Amino acid sequence: MKKALKITIICIITLCMSIILLLGTISYSSKIEDPLIGLNALVKIVKSDNSVELISKNPLRYIAKNEDDFKQFMENKGYDVDQAGRGFYFTKGKESIALGMEGFMGNYKIFTDEY
């Protein structure tokens, strides 16, 4: 009985440490202070058929599978797209949005007005 209890405790501690490490990696990778926002974004994009998902409106954040998908997404919304390095400037009439792009978890990109 004692051996089973020790194994259970070791498994629980290992699981907790793994979760903390995952959330820390997500937070560091996305530069978002709350790692649950990054985790939620990752789940949204992985589970959806969409290549772009809105993460939050204030600050404005999107997650995309790649930058070309994001540019196409914004063009489909009627915006003209200008890019300078990792910065994007979207205009539609008198409306304009400036977003910066950051890599996220190696395979995705986060676009945000908070940079």
Side-chain angles (χ1 to χ4, degrees):
M1 181 85 169
K2 286 185 178 184
K3 187 174 183 176
L5 182 60
K6 286 181 182 179
I7 291 173
T8 302
I9 290 172
I10 290 171
C11 288
I12 290 171
I13 290 172
T14 303
L15 178 64
C16 289
M17 290 175 63
S18 298
I19 290 171
I20 290 169
L21 182 62
L22 174 67
L23 293 176
T25 302
I26 289 172
S27 180
Y28 177 77
S29 177
S30 67
K31 307 213 177 14
I32 299 172
E33 289 180 17
D34 183 353
L36 295 178
I37 293 171
L39 183 60
N40 183 38
L42 187 60
V43 169
K44 272 184 172 181
I45 196 79
V46 168
K47 290 181 83 177
S48 77
D49 292 332
N50 301 329
S51 57
V52 177
E53 288 287 336
L54 177 67
I55 299 173
S56 65
K57 291 185 178 182
N58 190 12
L60 184 60
R61 289 189 190 114
Y62 289 92
I63 186 169
K65 293 184 178 177
N66 60 58
E67 66 186 84
D68 291 332
D69 287 343
F70 186 70
K71 289 191 288 189
Q72 186 62 50
F73 172 80
M74 293 302 279
E75 286 173 353
N76 291 345
K77 291 178 88 173
Y79 288 93
D80 293 322
V81 179
D82 291 314
Q83 181 179 359
R86 294 185 329 185
F88 293 83
Y89 192 69
F90 304 97
T91 56
K92 178 169 58 171
K94 293 184 179 184
E95 181 184 2
S96 64
I97 302 171
L99 300 175
M101 177 183 70
E102 294 289 338
F104 178 66
M105 300 299 291
N107 299 322
Y108 302 96
K109 306 290 183 201
I110 288 186
F111 298 85
T112 181
D113 63 358
E114 185 179 68
Y115 49 91

